[in-house]
Structures are given as structure tokens and as C-alpha cells.
PDB file of all heavy atoms in Angstrom:
ATOM      1  N   ILE A   1      57.393  96.487 167.921  1.00 97.00           N
ATOM      2  CA  ILE A   1      56.829  95.600 168.922  1.00 97.00           C
ATOM      3  C   ILE A   1      57.942  95.058 169.772  1.00 97.00           C
ATOM      4  O   ILE A   1      58.897  94.477 169.251  1.00 97.00           O
ATOM      5  CB  ILE A   1      55.995  94.437 168.299  1.00 97.00           C
ATOM      6  CG1 ILE A   1      54.852  95.029 167.440  1.00 97.00           C
ATOM      7  CG2 ILE A   1      55.544  93.497 169.329  1.00 97.00           C
ATOM      8  CD1 ILE A   1      54.064  93.957 166.702  1.00 97.00           C
ATOM      9  N   PRO A   2      57.885  95.272 171.129  1.00 98.00           N
ATOM     10  CA  PRO A   2      58.967  94.693 171.964  1.00 98.00           C
ATOM     11  C   PRO A   2      58.988  93.175 171.874  1.00 98.00           C
ATOM     12  O   PRO A   2      57.956  92.507 171.864  1.00 98.00           O
ATOM     13  CB  PRO A   2      58.532  95.114 173.378  1.00 98.00           C
ATOM     14  CG  PRO A   2      57.495  96.169 173.215  1.00 98.00           C
ATOM     15  CD  PRO A   2      56.892  95.947 171.882  1.00 98.00           C
ATOM     16  N   VAL A   3      60.197  92.649 171.822  1.00 98.00           N
ATOM     17  CA  VAL A   3      60.409  91.148 171.796  1.00 98.00           C
ATOM     18  C   VAL A   3      61.226  90.829 173.012  1.00 98.00           C
ATOM     19  O   VAL A   3      62.278  91.425 173.316  1.00 98.00           O
ATOM     20  CB  VAL A   3      61.107  90.728 170.510  1.00 98.00           C
ATOM     21  CG1 VAL A   3      61.461  89.213 170.567  1.00 98.00           C
ATOM     22  CG2 VAL A   3      60.312  91.080 169.272  1.00 98.00           C
ATOM     23  N   ILE A   4      60.750  89.832 173.745  1.00 98.00           N
ATOM     24  CA  ILE A   4      61.405  89.275 174.902  1.00 98.00           C
ATOM     25  C   ILE A   4      61.915  87.857 174.538  1.00 98.00           C
ATOM     26  O   ILE A   4      61.076  87.028 174.168  1.00 98.00           O
ATOM     27  CB  ILE A   4      60.522  89.237 176.140  1.00 98.00           C
ATOM     28  CG1 ILE A   4      59.960  90.602 176.507  1.00 98.00           C
ATOM     29  CG2 ILE A   4      61.263  88.637 177.340  1.00 98.00           C
ATOM     30  CD1 ILE A   4      58.834  90.615 177.498  1.00 98.00           C
ATOM     31  N   GLY A   5      63.195  87.655 174.661  1.00 98.00           N
ATOM     32  CA  GLY A   5      63.745  86.342 174.307  1.00 98.00           C
ATOM     33  C   GLY A   5      64.006  85.490 175.499  1.00 98.00           C
ATOM     34  O   GLY A   5      64.491  86.001 176.561  1.00 98.00           O
ATOM     35  N   ILE A   6      63.682  84.244 175.412  1.00 98.00           N
ATOM     36  CA  ILE A   6      63.929  83.277 176.447  1.00 98.00           C
ATOM     37  C   ILE A   6      64.945  82.239 175.914  1.00 98.00           C
ATOM     38  O   ILE A   6      64.602  81.412 175.029  1.00 98.00           O
ATOM     39  CB  ILE A   6      62.662  82.547 176.898  1.00 98.00           C
ATOM     40  CG1 ILE A   6      61.590  83.521 177.321  1.00 98.00           C
ATOM     41  CG2 ILE A   6      63.003  81.521 177.966  1.00 98.00           C
ATOM     42  CD1 ILE A   6      60.232  82.862 177.536  1.00 98.00           C
ATOM     43  N   PRO A   7      66.168  82.293 176.351  1.00 97.00           N
ATOM     44  CA  PRO A   7      67.107  81.235 175.976  1.00 97.00           C
ATOM     45  C   PRO A   7      66.747  79.921 176.592  1.00 97.00           C
ATOM     46  O   PRO A   7      66.500  79.826 177.818  1.00 97.00           O
ATOM     47  CB  PRO A   7      68.480  81.745 176.495  1.00 97.00           C
ATOM     48  CG  PRO A   7      68.220  82.999 177.218  1.00 97.00           C
ATOM     49  CD  PRO A   7      66.735  83.231 177.306  1.00 97.00           C
ATOM     50  N   ILE A   8      66.614  78.883 175.756  1.00 96.00           N
ATOM     51  CA  ILE A   8      66.203  77.569 176.254  1.00 96.00           C
ATOM     52  C   ILE A   8      67.465  76.713 176.457  1.00 96.00           C
ATOM     53  O   ILE A   8      68.346  76.674 175.594  1.00 96.00           O
ATOM     54  CB  ILE A   8      65.227  76.891 175.276  1.00 96.00           C
ATOM     55  CG1 ILE A   8      63.951  77.764 175.037  1.00 96.00           C
ATOM     56  CG2 ILE A   8      64.844  75.524 175.800  1.00 96.00           C
ATOM     57  CD1 ILE A   8      63.056  77.956 176.208  1.00 96.00           C
ATOM     58  N   SER A   9      67.529  76.040 177.550  1.00 96.00           N
ATOM     59  CA  SER A   9      68.662  75.176 177.836  1.00 96.00           C
ATOM     60  C   SER A   9      68.829  74.098 176.764  1.00 96.00           C
ATOM     61  O   SER A   9      67.854  73.583 176.281  1.00 96.00           O
ATOM     62  CB  SER A   9      68.488  74.533 179.224  1.00 96.00           C
ATOM     63  OG  SER A   9      69.616  73.769 179.535  1.00 96.00           O
ATOM     64  N   THR A  10      70.110  73.849 176.415  1.00 92.00           N
ATOM     65  CA  THR A  10      70.408  72.812 175.448  1.00 92.00           C
ATOM     66  C   THR A  10      71.233  71.711 176.084  1.00 92.00           C
ATOM     67  O   THR A  10      71.915  71.954 177.096  1.00 92.00           O
ATOM     68  CB  THR A  10      71.145  73.399 174.266  1.00 92.00           C
ATOM     69  OG1 THR A  10      72.346  74.008 174.740  1.00 92.00           O
ATOM     70  CG2 THR A  10      70.329  74.428 173.534  1.00 92.00           C
ATOM     71  N   LYS A  11      71.243  70.570 175.488  1.00 91.00           N
ATOM     72  CA  LYS A  11      72.043  69.418 176.067  1.00 91.00           C
ATOM     73  C   LYS A  11      73.534  69.702 175.848  1.00 91.00           C
ATOM     74  O   LYS A  11      74.308  69.328 176.685  1.00 91.00           O
ATOM     75  CB  LYS A  11      71.616  68.121 175.340  1.00 91.00           C
ATOM     76  CG  LYS A  11      70.255  67.671 175.734  1.00 91.00           C
ATOM     77  CD  LYS A  11      69.896  66.394 174.998  1.00 91.00           C
ATOM     78  CE  LYS A  11      68.433  66.034 175.311  1.00 91.00           C
ATOM     79  NZ  LYS A  11      67.910  64.986 174.478  1.00 91.00           N
ATOM     80  N   THR A  12      73.874  70.337 174.741  1.00 89.00           N
ATOM     81  CA  THR A  12      75.332  70.471 174.429  1.00 89.00           C
ATOM     82  C   THR A  12      75.987  71.549 175.241  1.00 89.00           C
ATOM     83  O   THR A  12      77.095  71.297 175.759  1.00 89.00           O
ATOM     84  CB  THR A  12      75.533  70.728 172.911  1.00 89.00           C
ATOM     85  OG1 THR A  12      74.713  71.826 172.548  1.00 89.00           O
ATOM     86  CG2 THR A  12      75.201  69.519 172.099  1.00 89.00           C
ATOM     87  N   LEU A  13      75.352  72.730 175.354  1.00 93.00           N
ATOM     88  CA  LEU A  13      76.031  73.824 176.036  1.00 93.00           C
ATOM     89  C   LEU A  13      75.191  74.427 177.182  1.00 93.00           C
ATOM     90  O   LEU A  13      75.504  75.537 177.669  1.00 93.00           O
ATOM     91  CB  LEU A  13      76.382  74.953 175.058  1.00 93.00           C
ATOM     92  CG  LEU A  13      77.378  74.522 173.964  1.00 93.00           C
ATOM     93  CD1 LEU A  13      77.559  75.597 172.929  1.00 93.00           C
ATOM     94  CD2 LEU A  13      78.750  74.197 174.593  1.00 93.00           C
ATOM     95  N   GLY A  14      74.171  73.722 177.598  1.00 94.00           N
ATOM     96  CA  GLY A  14      73.391  74.179 178.780  1.00 94.00           C
ATOM     97  C   GLY A  14      72.594  75.453 178.577  1.00 94.00           C
ATOM     98  O   GLY A  14      72.153  76.008 179.573  1.00 94.00           O
ATOM     99  N   GLY A  15      72.464  75.927 177.392  1.00 94.00           N
ATOM    100  CA  GLY A  15      71.713  77.144 177.148  1.00 94.00           C
ATOM    101  C   GLY A  15      72.534  78.412 176.998  1.00 94.00           C
ATOM    102  O   GLY A  15      72.035  79.433 176.655  1.00 94.00           O
ATOM    103  N   VAL A  16      73.821  78.248 177.314  1.00 95.00           N
ATOM    104  CA  VAL A  16      74.682  79.462 177.144  1.00 95.00           C
ATOM    105  C   VAL A  16      74.742  79.858 175.662  1.00 95.00           C
ATOM    106  O   VAL A  16      74.784  81.048 175.342  1.00 95.00           O
ATOM    107  CB  VAL A  16      76.092  79.166 177.726  1.00 95.00           C
ATOM    108  CG1 VAL A  16      77.055  80.270 177.424  1.00 95.00           C
ATOM    109  CG2 VAL A  16      76.025  78.932 179.196  1.00 95.00           C
ATOM    110  N   ASP A  17      74.741  78.906 174.815  1.00 93.00           N
ATOM    111  CA  ASP A  17      74.717  79.190 173.324  1.00 93.00           C
ATOM    112  C   ASP A  17      73.449  79.976 172.987  1.00 93.00           C
ATOM    113  O   ASP A  17      73.548  80.977 172.264  1.00 93.00           O
ATOM    114  CB  ASP A  17      74.762  77.896 172.519  1.00 93.00           C
ATOM    115  CG  ASP A  17      73.790  76.826 172.976  1.00 93.00           C
ATOM    116  OD1 ASP A  17      73.263  76.873 174.078  1.00 93.00           O
ATOM    117  OD2 ASP A  17      73.593  75.882 172.162  1.00 93.00           O
ATOM    118  N   SER A  18      72.325  79.574 173.570  1.00 94.00           N
ATOM    119  CA  SER A  18      71.038  80.244 173.301  1.00 94.00           C
ATOM    120  C   SER A  18      71.125  81.689 173.859  1.00 94.00           C
ATOM    121  O   SER A  18      70.684  82.645 173.214  1.00 94.00           O
ATOM    122  CB  SER A  18      69.893  79.471 173.926  1.00 94.00           C
ATOM    123  OG  SER A  18      69.970  78.102 173.664  1.00 94.00           O
ATOM    124  N   LEU A  19      71.599  81.779 175.061  1.00 95.00           N
ATOM    125  CA  LEU A  19      71.703  83.069 175.739  1.00 95.00           C
ATOM    126  C   LEU A  19      72.528  84.058 174.879  1.00 95.00           C
ATOM    127  O   LEU A  19      72.150  85.211 174.606  1.00 95.00           O
ATOM    128  CB  LEU A  19      72.308  82.950 177.104  1.00 95.00           C
ATOM    129  CG  LEU A  19      72.616  84.232 177.813  1.00 95.00           C
ATOM    130  CD1 LEU A  19      71.377  84.982 178.165  1.00 95.00           C
ATOM    131  CD2 LEU A  19      73.428  83.991 179.146  1.00 95.00           C
ATOM    132  N   TYR A  20      73.738  83.598 174.466  1.00 94.00           N
ATOM    133  CA  TYR A  20      74.567  84.480 173.644  1.00 94.00           C
ATOM    134  C   TYR A  20      73.945  84.829 172.339  1.00 94.00           C
ATOM    135  O   TYR A  20      74.027  85.959 171.872  1.00 94.00           O
ATOM    136  CB  TYR A  20      75.955  83.802 173.401  1.00 94.00           C
ATOM    137  CG  TYR A  20      76.892  83.687 174.558  1.00 94.00           C
ATOM    138  CD1 TYR A  20      77.927  82.842 174.568  1.00 94.00           C
ATOM    139  CD2 TYR A  20      76.669  84.516 175.665  1.00 94.00           C
ATOM    140  CE1 TYR A  20      78.802  82.749 175.653  1.00 94.00           C
ATOM    141  CE2 TYR A  20      77.537  84.445 176.802  1.00 94.00           C
ATOM    142  CZ  TYR A  20      78.605  83.617 176.745  1.00 94.00           C
ATOM    143  OH  TYR A  20      79.413  83.515 177.813  1.00 94.00           O
ATOM    144  N   SER A  21      73.216  83.870 171.700  1.00 92.00           N
ATOM    145  CA  SER A  21      72.539  84.200 170.424  1.00 92.00           C
ATOM    146  C   SER A  21      71.496  85.255 170.576  1.00 92.00           C
ATOM    147  O   SER A  21      71.348  86.096 169.708  1.00 92.00           O
ATOM    148  CB  SER A  21      71.912  82.922 169.890  1.00 92.00           C
ATOM    149  OG  SER A  21      72.914  81.979 169.466  1.00 92.00           O
ATOM    150  N   ILE A  22      70.788  85.234 171.694  1.00 95.00           N
ATOM    151  CA  ILE A  22      69.673  86.191 171.871  1.00 95.00           C
ATOM    152  C   ILE A  22      70.197  87.574 172.323  1.00 95.00           C
ATOM    153  O   ILE A  22      69.782  88.558 171.870  1.00 95.00           O
ATOM    154  CB  ILE A  22      68.660  85.591 172.813  1.00 95.00           C
ATOM    155  CG1 ILE A  22      67.992  84.362 172.197  1.00 95.00           C
ATOM    156  CG2 ILE A  22      67.554  86.635 173.167  1.00 95.00           C
ATOM    157  CD1 ILE A  22      67.093  83.608 173.142  1.00 95.00           C
ATOM    158  N   VAL A  23      71.090  87.550 173.286  1.00 95.00           N
ATOM    159  CA  VAL A  23      71.546  88.798 173.922  1.00 95.00           C
ATOM    160  C   VAL A  23      72.475  89.602 173.008  1.00 95.00           C
ATOM    161  O   VAL A  23      72.547  90.825 173.174  1.00 95.00           O
ATOM    162  CB  VAL A  23      72.180  88.506 175.316  1.00 95.00           C
ATOM    163  CG1 VAL A  23      73.605  88.044 175.180  1.00 95.00           C
ATOM    164  CG2 VAL A  23      72.053  89.699 176.214  1.00 95.00           C
ATOM    165  N   GLN A  24      73.122  88.982 172.044  1.00 94.00           N
ATOM    166  CA  GLN A  24      74.121  89.661 171.193  1.00 94.00           C
ATOM    167  C   GLN A  24      73.490  90.200 169.876  1.00 94.00           C
ATOM    168  O   GLN A  24      74.059  90.104 168.853  1.00 94.00           O
ATOM    169  CB  GLN A  24      75.279  88.752 170.882  1.00 94.00           C
ATOM    170  CG  GLN A  24      76.162  88.433 172.057  1.00 94.00           C
ATOM    171  CD  GLN A  24      76.903  89.649 172.535  1.00 94.00           C
ATOM    172  OE1 GLN A  24      77.056  90.692 171.896  1.00 94.00           O
ATOM    173  NE2 GLN A  24      77.457  89.552 173.736  1.00 94.00           N
ATOM    174  N   MET A  25      72.345  90.853 170.027  1.00 94.00           N
ATOM    175  CA  MET A  25      71.674  91.456 168.817  1.00 94.00           C
ATOM    176  C   MET A  25      72.481  92.724 168.412  1.00 94.00           C
ATOM    177  O   MET A  25      72.988  93.413 169.219  1.00 94.00           O
ATOM    178  CB  MET A  25      70.261  91.729 169.121  1.00 94.00           C
ATOM    179  CG  MET A  25      69.443  90.474 169.324  1.00 94.00           C
ATOM    180  SD  MET A  25      69.395  89.433 167.865  1.00 94.00           S
ATOM    181  CE  MET A  25      68.586  90.556 166.642  1.00 94.00           C
ATOM    182  N   PRO A  26      72.441  92.983 167.124  1.00 95.00           N
ATOM    183  CA  PRO A  26      73.105  94.179 166.615  1.00 95.00           C
ATOM    184  C   PRO A  26      72.397  95.463 167.039  1.00 95.00           C
ATOM    185  O   PRO A  26      71.187  95.406 167.279  1.00 95.00           O
ATOM    186  CB  PRO A  26      73.116  94.017 165.136  1.00 95.00           C
ATOM    187  CG  PRO A  26      72.018  93.129 164.827  1.00 95.00           C
ATOM    188  CD  PRO A  26      71.887  92.200 166.020  1.00 95.00           C
ATOM    189  N   SER A  27      73.096  96.537 167.106  1.00 95.00           N
ATOM    190  CA  SER A  27      72.507  97.838 167.427  1.00 95.00           C
ATOM    191  C   SER A  27      71.318  98.129 166.563  1.00 95.00           C
ATOM    192  O   SER A  27      71.325  97.891 165.378  1.00 95.00           O
ATOM    193  CB  SER A  27      73.567  98.904 167.237  1.00 95.00           C
ATOM    194  OG  SER A  27      73.028 100.209 167.548  1.00 95.00           O
ATOM    195  N   GLY A  28      70.249  98.537 167.171  1.00 95.00           N
ATOM    196  CA  GLY A  28      69.022  98.871 166.460  1.00 95.00           C
ATOM    197  C   GLY A  28      67.979  97.778 166.388  1.00 95.00           C
ATOM    198  O   GLY A  28      66.831  98.014 166.055  1.00 95.00           O
ATOM    199  N   ILE A  29      68.389  96.560 166.797  1.00 96.00           N
ATOM    200  CA  ILE A  29      67.456  95.416 166.812  1.00 96.00           C
ATOM    201  C   ILE A  29      67.503  94.786 168.211  1.00 96.00           C
ATOM    202  O   ILE A  29      67.986  93.681 168.416  1.00 96.00           O
ATOM    203  CB  ILE A  29      67.816  94.336 165.728  1.00 96.00           C
ATOM    204  CG1 ILE A  29      68.087  94.943 164.417  1.00 96.00           C
ATOM    205  CG2 ILE A  29      66.693  93.316 165.648  1.00 96.00           C
ATOM    206  CD1 ILE A  29      66.880  95.600 163.723  1.00 96.00           C
ATOM    207  N   PRO A  30      66.968  95.524 169.219  1.00 96.00           N
ATOM    208  CA  PRO A  30      67.039  94.962 170.606  1.00 96.00           C
ATOM    209  C   PRO A  30      66.079  93.795 170.825  1.00 96.00           C
ATOM    210  O   PRO A  30      64.995  93.726 170.287  1.00 96.00           O
ATOM    211  CB  PRO A  30      66.668  96.153 171.437  1.00 96.00           C
ATOM    212  CG  PRO A  30      65.749  96.937 170.585  1.00 96.00           C
ATOM    213  CD  PRO A  30      66.242  96.775 169.158  1.00 96.00           C
ATOM    214  N   VAL A  31      66.504  92.906 171.686  1.00 97.00           N
ATOM    215  CA  VAL A  31      65.691  91.822 172.247  1.00 97.00           C
ATOM    216  C   VAL A  31      65.982  91.853 173.727  1.00 97.00           C
ATOM    217  O   VAL A  31      67.042  91.603 174.190  1.00 97.00           O
ATOM    218  CB  VAL A  31      66.021  90.421 171.616  1.00 97.00           C
ATOM    219  CG1 VAL A  31      65.234  89.362 172.334  1.00 97.00           C
ATOM    220  CG2 VAL A  31      65.753  90.410 170.105  1.00 97.00           C
ATOM    221  N   ALA A  32      64.879  92.097 174.518  1.00 98.00           N
ATOM    222  CA  ALA A  32      65.026  91.979 175.961  1.00 98.00           C
ATOM    223  C   ALA A  32      65.254  90.504 176.242  1.00 98.00           C
ATOM    224  O   ALA A  32      64.549  89.659 175.678  1.00 98.00           O
ATOM    225  CB  ALA A  32      63.759  92.469 176.623  1.00 98.00           C
ATOM    226  N   THR A  33      66.165  90.201 177.107  1.00 97.00           N
ATOM    227  CA  THR A  33      66.494  88.760 177.322  1.00 97.00           C
ATOM    228  C   THR A  33      66.460  88.458 178.758  1.00 97.00           C
ATOM    229  O   THR A  33      66.947  89.190 179.609  1.00 97.00           O
ATOM    230  CB  THR A  33      67.921  88.455 176.751  1.00 97.00           C
ATOM    231  OG1 THR A  33      68.002  88.912 175.416  1.00 97.00           O
ATOM    232  CG2 THR A  33      68.242  86.981 176.797  1.00 97.00           C
ATOM    233  N   VAL A  34      65.782  87.302 179.145  1.00 98.00           N
ATOM    234  CA  VAL A  34      65.711  86.879 180.475  1.00 98.00           C
ATOM    235  C   VAL A  34      66.663  85.701 180.611  1.00 98.00           C
ATOM    236  O   VAL A  34      67.362  85.282 179.732  1.00 98.00           O
ATOM    237  CB  VAL A  34      64.257  86.457 180.838  1.00 98.00           C
ATOM    238  CG1 VAL A  34      63.325  87.690 180.845  1.00 98.00           C
ATOM    239  CG2 VAL A  34      63.688  85.352 179.960  1.00 98.00           C
TER     240      VAL A  34
END
């Protein structure tokens, strides 16, 4: 099942932490990220 990840902005790092967590999935476990 395709999974689309939405990084949510955070107070501490503005959402960059969320973006990196979602977009850096290991090979074989993709998450489309907006």
C-alpha cells in the first residue's frame, strides 16, 4: 500500500527534523514525501 508522508512543522527545528525522518527511509521501504 503506498504511503505518503507529511512532515509536520515543529517548534524546535521547523519541521526539517520531520522531513529528514520521513524522506530518509531505507531501501525497500519507500514513503512518498511532500
Side-chain angles (χ1 to χ4, degrees):
I1 297 175
V3 175
I4 302 168
I6 304 168
I8 304 293
S9 183
T10 58
K11 291 178 184 168
T12 52
L13 297 172
V16 174
D17 49 344
S18 312
L19 175 65
Y20 288 162
S21 292
I22 296 171
V23 80
Q24 291 293 345
M25 291 300 298
S27 180
I29 313 294
V31 174
T33 310
V34 296

